């Protein structure tokens, strides 16, 4: 697959002058993005976060927990901010 990039002329010249291998740097950057995403998705933290939000959703759907309306939310947030 071929991808094209728009790089400002002055930036391109600086990269060339510095001898930067742009292809390998771009590949390295993209792989790093994938690894970070995969790293979180495969982490214990992700599993804990997922379980927490799943439980919260189930409590809301079952009526065990009730959502705040906008006025209640603003009142509670104001009280919380003042407590800091």
């Amino acid at each position: 697959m071929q991808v094209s990039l728009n790089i400002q002329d002055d930036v391109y010249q600086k990269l060339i002058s510095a001898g930067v291998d742009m292809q390998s740097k771009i590949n390295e950057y993209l792989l790093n993005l994938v690894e970070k995403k995969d790293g979180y998705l495969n982490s214990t933290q992700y599993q804990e976060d997922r379980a927490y939000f799943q439980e919260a959703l189930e409590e809301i759907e079952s009526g065990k927990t009730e959502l705040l309306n906008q006025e209640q939310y603003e009142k509670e947030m104001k009280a919380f901010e003042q407590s800091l």
Side-chain angles (χ1 to χ4, degrees):
M1 176 192 296
Q2 185 173 348
V3 176
S4 58
L5 296 172
N6 291 322
I7 301 173
Q8 294 174 349
D9 290 339
D10 61 326
V11 174
Y12 179 76
Q13 289 304 320
K14 287 178 184 177
L15 290 168
I16 296 298
S17 296
V20 174
D21 179 358
M22 289 183 282
Q23 183 66 53
S24 65
K25 290 293 183 188
I26 291 169
N27 286 341
E28 183 180 311
Y29 173 74
L30 294 173
L31 287 172
N32 191 29
L33 288 176
V34 171
E35 289 170 2
K36 283 183 180 179
K37 179 184 174 195
D38 287 346
Y40 174 67
L41 292 176
N42 294 319
S43 70
T44 302
Q45 184 64 50
Y46 173 79
Q47 297 303 322
E48 291 171 0
D49 293 346
R50 186 169 187 244
Y52 170 82
F53 286 109
Q54 186 64 41
E55 182 179 338
L57 178 61
E58 288 171 3
E59 287 179 3
I60 292 166
E61 289 176 339
S62 71
K64 185 177 178 183
T65 298
E66 208 171 297
L67 296 175
L68 300 175
N69 65 34
Q70 188 65 35
E71 186 179 321
Q72 293 168 319
Y73 169 78
E74 289 173 6
K75 184 179 178 181
E76 289 199 19
M77 284 304 295
K78 186 174 183 177
F80 171 73
E81 289 170 354
Q82 290 174 347
S83 74
L84 295 176

